Structure formats: structure tokens, C-alpha cells
Amino acid sequence: MSKPLSDHDKRKQISVRGIAGVENVAELKVAFNRHFHFTLVKDRNVANKRDYYFALANTVRDHLVGRWIRTQQYYYEKDPKRVYYISLEFYMGRTLQNTMVNLALENACDEAIYQLGLDMEELEDMEEDAGLGNGGLGCLAACFLDSMASLGLAAYGYGIRYEFGIFNQKIVNGWQVEEADDWLRYGNPWEKARPESMRPVKFYGRTEHTPDGVKWVDTQVVLALPYDTPIPGYRNNIVNTMRLWAARPHGVFFPFSTVNVGGYIQAVLDRNLCENISRVLYPNDNFFENKELRLKQEYFVVAATLQDIVRRFKASMFWLQRDCPHRLRRVAIQLNDTHPAMAIPELMRVLLDEEKLGWDKAWDVCVRTCAYTNHTVLPEALERWPIDLFHHLLPRHLEIIFEINRRFMETTTACALMSLIEEGGCKKVNMAHLCIVGSHAVNGVARIHSEILIATLFKDFYELDPHKFQNKTNGITPRRWLVMCNPGLAEVIAEKIGEEFIRDLDQLKRLLKFVNDDAFIRDIAKVKQENKLKFAVHLEEHYKVKINPQSMFDFQVKRIHEYKRQLLNCLHMITYYNRIKKEPNKHWTPRTIMVGGKAAPGYHTAKMIIRLITAIGEVVNHDPVVGDRLKVIFLENYRVTLAEKAIPSADLSEQISTAGTEASGTGNMKFMLNGALTIGTMDGANVEMYYNRIPELKQAMDQIAGGFFSPKQPDLFKELVDLLMHHDRFKVFADYEAYIKCQDKVNQLYKNPKEWTKMVIHNIAGCGKFSSDRTIAQYAREIWGIEPSLEKIPTSEGNGKSFLKALE
Ligand SMILES: *Cc1c(COP(=O)(O)O)cnc(C)c1O
């Protein structure tokens, strides 16, 4: 019998991870040792794993630098249309492995690290997540950056460099506790500060209307310091830029005669208060928080970014060609939800007050340039800023918004409900209305969501201008969400259909030919089983929970929210538990139900839902009658890195939001691509996936209400019971019966592994449309007016002996 392969040997055999040529490996080792010595300034006696991670990160980063500089030179020379994706969130996760995948360096680095006596996965685990997002919206922005680079678009991501990202979630006595995410503590090897490119951003003050235009005066100035992160395309030599702004104090001049020493010290200390603007990500998903600091963040990113956009445009050759008809169509700005909506009045302010354009010309440029993506129809998530706050913080912008509104309402067909200014107790600016009026394209993020938008929320706007409204169904990048997180599955697929599917995910449909191929079915099932074992080991090592790797792995991982209905899942857990207890000798399909996700710190009901899940786990997991046929696990601190470990191990994906509430979902796509079956409602992108009075409910509710899951505090879940029984906006009971029946079918199917795996293969083969490459190609053609390209860009000119060539 041959020795079982180590993880290292297994990974080596996988061709999608690149070729580990002897020369490459030797060069990498030299570079690693050089960084270890000169950059980290360490020797092996005093080094820890983090030092080795940093040495490796710097080694890999070296391979980006030439391509990054060359790509930006190339854009400067060719002067293509630029795309600016502005977002308050970029949920990037880790960068090291993604860079190695996209540069085809993975096997070579793995071999070099192995030869140095180190363990690649251990080093990778030292990297902090860049958790600059809450959930789907931030993940989408990250996937889009990867796809835009992979499709050769001259694109930039613009956002805020939060010093603290999404909080770390601890579970203490069953409750969520938040801990600040100090992700920059040890430094970030992937970013490059550009202090030479700081931009001033103004706040407060008042306006002066003078004969030569409007002046915004008596303002407070904050500087925006850019940090650039390279975004490599998939094996095409392109490296785009994500630029995140940090707030820094503006150098204030103190006239010495008027400032005493105490005043001077206080003035210097107060300088740093303005850095609070980029201090922390607001931890709300699908919820609008009416706070001045948040409005400051939204304007800060937009004001700094527009200065970059205008400067870059003026450096382009089109700037000088005043009679060229395309001159003013060289820039596309995509607004990721209304969070960066201030780009519209800010662009108007720059064109009117600084560039001295007339209103009509300025408005034409603004509308042609901007496009808006809507992400939700939930009323509590829609941004409506009080006029008073606006007037105080951004007086000039409020004037411009009033003028936009005045002109818009003058069009004979606009009705009062379409006003950008909402009347009522306190007047508010409706940011979605501002975005619609100021953009040439408005899109939803799944077919049903876009249909709901034009039928309800934006009906009047649709009737006024139907051509503005589009759909762009979300997608995920197959690099991070397949090749990187599930190399075993990627390799089994590549053995059948080659590696092109990584660039062109539609090719997955060629797998349909193999649905009856027994060896292929076995390979797919084997990879799943290996992934399940690996995740079980991870849970045991990190959380000391033992799970049965033969059981069905049933996941619901996403932000905790009433509309996502983790409570419906709870009712199923309880029902299944009661059935096992009632007939303990029946052959029950063993299940491990795992739920993970963060609750916004101020969202009381979401925190109670977490407590109910942990309470159910406490009862179910220790019941000897149940044994390992049912376990309920709350996965602590769900984030991108945990998603990458968990999703490849999933058998079943829970997508059970109330129909009409989840705009798209992208978690659903990650699971499908990784070989899980979906149990879901007809909501969001689920609709596009084509997957194939009640005593037990009363029993479950009585148990929650009667303290069965909280014996020490029988009325702990009283409010949740009251919510479900009397004022549930999200209709959990309405779907209970159908959901339980469907779960029964899932159990039956799971007893036939071959049929299950065939369904998995059908599912994977149908994943093509959920690549973010498809999504981005549609944005490019149908909104931005540019053509994507799979070409590699030249890495050198002339004799081909440039520095870059040497790195190939
Ligand atoms: C993909 C992803 C999400 C979005 O999940 P949904 O199920 O679409 O809400 C949220 N958080 C993380 C960490 C993710 O990776």
C-alpha cells in the first residue's frame, strides 16, 4: 500500500495551480530570504509565522510591481475609457493566495515554502482579512474588481481605507459580543500610500453668490490620503488599482501672536479628530443609519475620487480635442447603491463652480457619466438624509440638489411622489431619487429584483423614462470562489473539460456529457468528502466541536436578518429534533446544521435570533437519544475567509428569504458552484437557478415559548415568539409547511448518494451565468459603452528583454 499523500503533495498534483519550474522555485527562495533579512529584519532564531507570512507576501508582491506599472503606463498611452467603481465597501478578504492564483505562482511558491521547511497553509492563515464590507454588497465589489481586471477594463475601485473593518464576532454564553477589527495592527503589505497625491476635502461653511460664480467659503478642510492596492487580472498581465482614502488633518497655520502655548497644544491635538472620518466601517447590512459621521464618509470618498477623475481626464488627449464628439464620454462612474450618491451633486459643483460650465452642459456630462445600481427594496435600508444635516455639512450641495429637483419637477410629467425632497415632519433628501435623476442607467441585481423595482419602488420613474432601467444579475468570481477555495473540485473539472472554464464559466455546461460517467461521479463525490473532512478537522481544531463527516452538511451563512429568515431554519431544526425524539429507532438522515453570520450591533432581534440558535444547539447537541444524527452549530465570526473554508464542504445551501426581499444573493451562487444543492424560496437570483394548521409547528413554538431551549430563563425568547405569532413582516409561518416537506425530500435524496451527486453535477454545469465576468461584460457593453477583452497586454516593448520579461 502506498503512503497517503500529504496536503503538500496533493496540491502539487493540481495543474490549475501553475507550474513549479526549478528556476522559479530557486528564484522565489532567494527573494523570500532577501525579504526575510532586509524587509523584515529578522533571523530564524527570532522569527514567528507572521514574519514568514510577510516575507512571502513581499516576495509575491514583487511579481505584481512590474505588471502594475506597465498596465498604468499602457492606459496612459492607449487612453481607453476609464471606469470608476465607487463603493463604501470592498469586502476583499485575503490577498496572498488570490495573487498567486491570478499570477500562476501557486505551485512554485508552495514548493519554495516547502523546501524552506515551512507550511504554506499555516502562513496563509496569518493574513488578516481586509473586512471592509458587511456582506453581499461589499463582496460583489471585490468580485467586480477581479472581473474588471480579468476582462482588461481600465477600471479603478474607489473607497475608504477604514482603520477598523467589520467587527470580529465572539460568542460568549451563547450571545454575540463585538470586538474591534484592528486589521492594520501588523501593517498591510499589499497597500502603497501615496502622500504625494493627497486631495483636500471641504465640509461645513456657507455659500456666497458672486457675479463670477458661487463660492463655498469658511469651510473646514480635511485631507484625503490615497492608499493603492494592486488588483491583478487572471493570467493576463493586467494589474488595476483599488484606491482607498484615509482622512488626515490639513496643515493649519497658527499666527503666533494670537495663539498662546496652551491653545497651540490643543490645536495640534484637535487636528487628529478629523481622522475619525476613515476610522470605522458602519456595521449595518441593508439598514440606513442617520448619522453625521456616515454622511461625512459618503461625501469624503466622493469628493476625493472626483478630483482624481477630473485630473486624469484632463491629462488625457481627449481633453484638448474640444470638437471631438466623444470627448465627454471617456469616463464612466458606477455607484454601488446610493452610498456614493453625492458624486452627482459634487460633479455638478466641480463643473459649475470650478470649471465654469453652464448648467445644461454640466448636467449633460453628469448624467452621461453616472450610473446607479440599486441593491434593496427594504424601506429601512433606503437612504433619506434630513435637510438640516445636509445644510449644515454641505450647504452648496443642498443648493445644487434643490436646483436639480426644481428643474426635474418642472418637466410636466414628474409627479410629487418623484421629488428628490420628501416633505413631512422633517424634510429629507431621497438619495435613490437623486441617483435615478442624475444617472443614464439604473439597474437591479437579479431579474426578479429589477422587475420589482420598475413595478413598485421606481414605477413612476420607469414610466417617465423606461430606457433607463436595466437588469444586471450579480455574479461571483470563479477565481476566488472555485479555483482558490476548492482546488480539488477545479482540478476534477479541468481533467474533463480543460482549464478554459476559469476564464469562461459557461464552459461548465460541457460537464453535462459526464452526468452518467461513474468515474466522474465518484471523483466529484470524493472531493466533496475530502472537503467535508477538512472542514470537520478545522472546526475541531479551532472551536473544539466534533461533527460527523458522514452527515449532511446543511449551511445557512449570511448576515443575520429577519428577512433572511434564520427563524424558519430554527423551526426546522426543532421539528427534526422532535421527530427523532418521537421515533428514535427510525432511519433518520444525519444532519449537521450550521448557521453563521453577524448581527448589526444595534439590531436587537438579530442578536436574539443568534441566542435562539445557540440555545437550540445546547439542547440538541447534548441529547443522547439524538446522538450524531442531528447537530446544530453556530459558526462564530462568519467572514470571507471562513466562507472560503466552509462553502466547499457544503451539501445543502439554505436560501430561504421571504420572496421579494433578497435583491439577488451571491452566497447562493458560491454554494452552487462548489457542489451544494439549494433549498430556497423563489427570491433574488434563486429564481434564475432552476433547481428542482400544523401540529408540529405548534409544538416547536410551544417549546421556544415554554423555555425548553432556555430552561434557566424560560421567557428568554418571549419577544421572538410574539414577533412570529403577531407581527411578522417576513411570513415565516406561511412557508413553514412547504419548507419542512422540502427538507423531507432532501433527506430522501441524500440516502441515494449517486442520484444526489448527479444533481450536483447538473447544478455545477448550470453555473456559467453566475460568473461575475458575465455580469461585468454586461455592465461594460450595456452601461459603460466599452468592449471587454480576454487578450493579454504586452509586458514589454521592442526587443522583449525588458525587466518584466525576466519575471515571466
Ligand atoms: C458571499 C458572502 C455574503 C453574501 O451572502 P448572501 O447569502 O448572498 O447574503 C456575505 N458574507 C460573506 C462573508 C460572503 O462571503
Side-chain angles (χ1 to χ4, degrees):
M1 216 176 80
S2 62
K3 194 165 136 262
L5 292 177
S6 70
D7 272 358
H8 169 73
D9 289 329
K10 256 192 236 159
R11 289 198 301 270
K12 224 159 78 173
Q13 293 181 333
I14 296 178
S15 70
V16 294
R17 296 166 65 101
I19 301 158
V22 178
E23 278 175 45
N24 286 341
V25 173
E27 256 180 56
L28 286 167
K29 282 163 69 181
V30 170
F32 179 95
N33 285 325
R34 180 166 46 77
H35 278 298
F36 185 61
H37 185 77
F38 288 103
T39 311
L40 277 293
V41 196
K42 286 259 178 155
D43 69 60
R44 284 217 159 193
N45 299 318
V46 293
N48 58 33
K49 274 181 205 155
R50 184 171 297 107
D51 297 318
Y52 294 124
Y53 156 69
F54 275 111
L56 176 59
N58 279 287
T59 304
V60 170
R61 179 186 170 280
D62 287 348
H63 289 253
L64 286 165
V65 172
R67 291 179 172 92
W68 196 6
I69 291 172
R70 179 70 194 111
T71 301
Q72 302 309 312
Q73 276 173 1
Y74 183 78
Y75 292 157
Y76 183 82
E77 289 156 15
K78 296 267 162 165
D79 206 13
K81 183 165 182 174
R82 308 301 212 282
V83 174
Y84 294 93
Y85 196 83
I86 311 184
S87 177
L88 270 282
E89 303 187 17
F90 287 94
Y91 205 167
M92 303 297 285
R94 289 177 178 160
T95 296
L96 174 62
Q97 197 188 358
N98 183 247
T99 307
M100 294 190 296
V101 165
N102 282 14
L103 266 45
L105 281 174
E106 219 181 0
N107 258 340
C109 286
D110 217 11
E111 185 60 30
I113 290 301
Y114 178 75
Q115 289 182 16
L116 289 162
L118 299 166
D119 182 283
M120 179 61 104
E121 287 191 45
E122 276 183 12
L123 301 197
E124 285 171 352
D125 267 331
M126 298 313 299
E127 182 172 357
E128 300 274 347
D129 273 36
L132 309 186
N134 277 289
L137 176 145
C139 277
L140 186 77
C143 285
F144 280 6
L145 293 184
D146 181 82
S147 286
M148 290 190 292
S150 298
L151 290 172
L153 305 185
Y156 305 78
Y158 270 92
I160 295 178
R161 179 182 179 271
Y162 300 108
E163 195 177 323
F164 295 90
I166 187 67
F167 62 86
N168 283 311
Q169 178 193 57
K170 291 273 151 66
I171 300 297
V172 179
N173 300 325
W175 298 96
Q176 166 175 299
V177 173
E178 301 89 17
E179 181 192 89
D181 166 42
D182 193 3
W183 71 294
L184 294 167
R185 184 171 36 210
Y186 300 104
N188 174 2
W190 305 105
E191 68 183 10
K192 179 76 189 83
R194 301 286 190 193
E196 69 278 19
S197 302
M198 292 219 268
R199 313 271 174 230
V201 176
K202 299 195 269 188
F203 292 100
Y204 304 108
R206 61 192 171 79
T207 59
E208 263 176 14
H209 291 251
T210 71
D212 45 55
V214 182
K215 295 204 167 70
W216 180 17
V217 297
D218 294 343
T219 53
Q220 293 180 24
V221 179
V222 176
L223 292 180
L225 166 61
Y227 284 81
D228 290 348
T229 299
I231 306 291
Y234 183 71
R235 302 184 189 182
N236 63 355
N237 296 321
I238 283 178
V239 179
N240 284 344
T241 301
M242 173 177 72
R243 173 164 281 193
L244 302 181
W245 303 102
R248 291 290 178 268
H250 187 256
V252 189
F253 177 70
F254 309 107
F256 288 109
S257 57
T258 59
V259 177
N260 60 28
V261 171
Y264 161 76
I265 295 290
Q266 200 54 50
V268 173
L269 296 181
D270 289 349
R271 279 163 52 90
N272 295 324
L273 292 178
C274 74
E275 294 186 0
N276 284 341
I277 292 173
S278 55
R279 193 79 69 202
V280 59
L281 167 76
Y282 273 88
N284 303 310
D285 187 66
N286 278 298
F287 185 78
F288 166 54
E289 190 150 326
N290 174 6
K291 289 278 153 57
E292 177 174 310
L293 182 61
R294 169 69 183 194
L295 184 57
K296 274 189 178 173
Q297 290 183 338
E298 296 187 358
Y299 178 64
F300 175 73
V301 59
V302 151
T305 301
L306 276 173
Q307 293 177 60
D308 262 20
I309 294 176
V310 170
R311 182 190 48 76
R312 210 171 276 129
F313 175 61
K314 285 186 170 177
S316 93
M317 49 200 175
F318 284 89
W319 172 245
L320 298 171
Q321 296 168 18
R322 298 215 158 238
D323 45 355
C324 169
H326 305 298
R327 190 174 86 98
L328 295 175
R329 300 184 193 194
R330 305 303 301 160
V331 174
I333 295 176
Q334 191 68 38
L335 307 174
N336 196 21
D337 212 318
T338 58
H339 312 152
M342 290 304 294
I344 291 166
E346 173 66 2
L347 181 54
M348 286 300 287
R349 188 190 67 81
V350 171
L351 296 177
L352 295 168
D353 300 351
E354 293 177 9
E355 300 299 326
K356 307 289 182 194
L357 263 59
W359 182 279
D360 291 338
K361 186 83 211 167
W363 185 243
D364 182 57
V365 171
C366 180
V367 173
R368 273 188 222 247
T369 303
C370 296
Y372 155 57
T373 304
N374 173 279
H375 283 271
T376 180
V377 297
L378 293 182
E380 62 268 39
L382 302 178
E383 292 191 294
R384 298 177 164 102
W385 289 105
I387 295 274
D388 295 346
L389 176 55
F390 237 106
H391 179 71
H392 179 57
L393 190 66
L394 300 166
R396 177 59 182 142
H397 297 81
L398 187 60
E399 286 178 0
I400 291 172
I401 290 169
F402 276 132
E403 182 59 14
I404 294 171
N405 194 44
R406 191 187 65 76
R407 289 168 180 253
F408 174 65
M409 297 304 286
E410 258 180 32
T411 65
T412 47
T413 44
C415 68
L417 284 174
M418 300 165 81
S419 176
L420 312 198
I421 310 298
E422 287 183 4
E423 304 292 334
C426 134
K427 280 196 187 182
K428 289 171 180 163
V429 182
N430 183 314
M431 303 303 271
H433 290 188
L434 172 63
C435 285
I436 298 170
V437 174
S439 300
H440 68 284
V442 176
N443 73 282
V445 289
R447 194 208 301 143
I448 189 173
H449 167 61
S450 299
E451 284 167 3
I452 289 171
L453 283 182
I454 61 175
T456 61
L457 202 56
F458 301 156
K459 183 167 188 282
D460 298 328
F461 291 96
Y462 173 72
E463 283 165 4
L464 194 65
D465 195 356
H467 300 294
K468 228 183 225 194
F469 292 82
Q470 303 194 18
N471 173 243
K472 297 287 168 279
T473 299
N474 281 167
I476 53 170
T477 168
R479 273 72 66 180
R480 181 176 295 266
W481 295 110
L482 179 57
V483 180
M484 181 179 140
C485 72
N486 200 345
L489 180 58
E491 185 61 19
V492 168
I493 294 170
E495 277 166 11
K496 286 292 179 208
I497 63 171
E499 286 184 24
E500 252 327 276
F501 72 93
I502 300 169
R503 259 182 266 266
D504 174 14
L505 205 62
D506 274 327
Q507 303 235 355
L508 286 178
K509 52 174 174 278
R510 292 168 54 206
L511 291 176
L512 286 176
K513 276 208 301 269
F514 306 104
V515 272
N516 294 311
D517 175 336
D518 284 340
F520 183 60
I521 294 172
R522 242 183 290 120
D523 286 346
I524 292 282
K526 182 163 163 259
V527 169
K528 180 61 73 182
Q529 200 50 43
E530 286 170 358
N531 291 339
K532 289 173 72 172
L533 264 173
K534 192 165 178 194
F535 190 63
V537 168
H538 174 82
L539 284 185
E540 197 165 345
E541 277 178 2
H542 294 264
Y543 306 97
K544 309 202 170 22
V545 285
K546 256 200 158 80
I547 60 177
N548 170 11
Q550 302 308 319
S551 64
M552 181 198 306
F553 282 17
D554 168 347
F555 282 97
Q556 187 178 21
V557 283
K558 49 183 74 247
R559 289 297 291 253
I560 309 293
H561 210 298
E562 285 163 272
Y563 86 83
K564 291 175 184 280
R565 294 201 297 192
Q566 281 88 3
L567 283 173
L568 184 56
N569 195 347
C570 289
L571 291 177
H572 171 248
M573 298 167 192
I574 298 171
T575 301
Y576 201 51
Y577 170 75
N578 289 332
R579 286 183 180 179
I580 296 173
K581 293 282 279 189
K582 199 167 159 198
E583 297 180 82
N585 297 320
K586 222 175 123 178
H587 178 66
W588 298 101
T589 301
R591 278 203 195 217
T592 303
I593 305 181
M594 290 173 268
V595 180
K598 291 171 186 175
Y603 189 175
H604 174 74
T605 302
K607 289 182 148 179
M608 285 307 300
I609 293 171
I610 292 177
R611 187 64 192 93
L612 177 60
I613 297 164
T614 57
I616 296 170
E618 284 158 23
V619 170
V620 168
N621 300 346
H622 300 110
D623 192 322
V625 175
V626 172
D628 65 2
R629 294 180 293 185
L630 177 62
K631 288 276 183 272
V632 171
I633 313 276
F634 188 85
L635 294 174
E636 187 178 76
N637 205 24
Y638 180 63
R639 62 200 186 283
V640 171
T641 297
L642 185 54
E644 289 164 5
K645 293 183 203 289
I647 291 172
S649 80
D651 293 307
L652 188 65
S653 153
E654 301 271 352
Q655 307 299 337
I656 53 177
S657 51
T658 310
T661 61
E662 185 78 274
S664 164
T666 49
N668 46 4
M669 302 168 190
K670 297 169 196 167
F671 280 102
M672 184 180 180
L673 185 58
N674 282 277
L677 298 189
T678 304
I679 181 164
T681 46
M682 286 301 233
D683 195 22
N686 297 352
V687 178
E688 292 163 67
M689 284 183 169
Y690 310 110
Y691 55 87
N692 298 307
R693 262 354 2 192
I694 319 165
E696 287 184 300
L697 174 59
K698 182 172 185 314
Q699 185 187 6
M701 290 307 297
D702 288 348
Q703 285 167 324
I704 301 174
F708 186 83
F709 298 106
S710 53
K712 289 185 194 144
Q713 210 181 326
D715 59 355
L716 181 62
F717 300 116
K718 192 167 174 292
E719 57 195 291
L720 285 185
V721 170
D722 185 52
L723 177 86
L724 285 171
M725 309 267 281
H726 304 299
H727 29 83
D728 178 13
R729 290 168 61 203
F730 300 106
K731 306 184 179 73
V732 170
F733 285 0
D735 287 337
Y736 170 82
E737 230 175 349
Y739 179 58
I740 299 291
K741 283 218 175 89
C742 193
Q743 291 283 21
D744 293 341
K745 280 195 203 157
V746 171
N747 284 339
Q748 286 310 312
L749 187 67
Y750 197 71
K751 288 179 184 160
N752 186 340
K754 192 166 166 184
E755 284 309 308
W756 179 282
T757 304
K758 280 185 179 185
M759 258 178 94
V760 165
I761 295 169
H762 267 286
N763 244 337
I764 295 173
C767 269
K769 90 170 264 195
F770 298 115
S771 168
S772 49
D773 296 343
R774 185 270 312 149
T775 314
I776 285 299
Q778 290 178 327
Y779 275 91
R781 296 192 177 109
E782 298 162 21
I783 297 180
W784 305 330
I786 51 180
E787 193 53 33
S789 153
L790 288 175
E791 300 291 298
K792 285 191 179 190
I793 64 163
T795 51
S796 60
E797 285 167 319
N799 65 12
K801 289 211 173 135
S802 76
F803 180 61
L804 260 179
K805 201 73 185 174
L807 288 177
E808 289 290 77

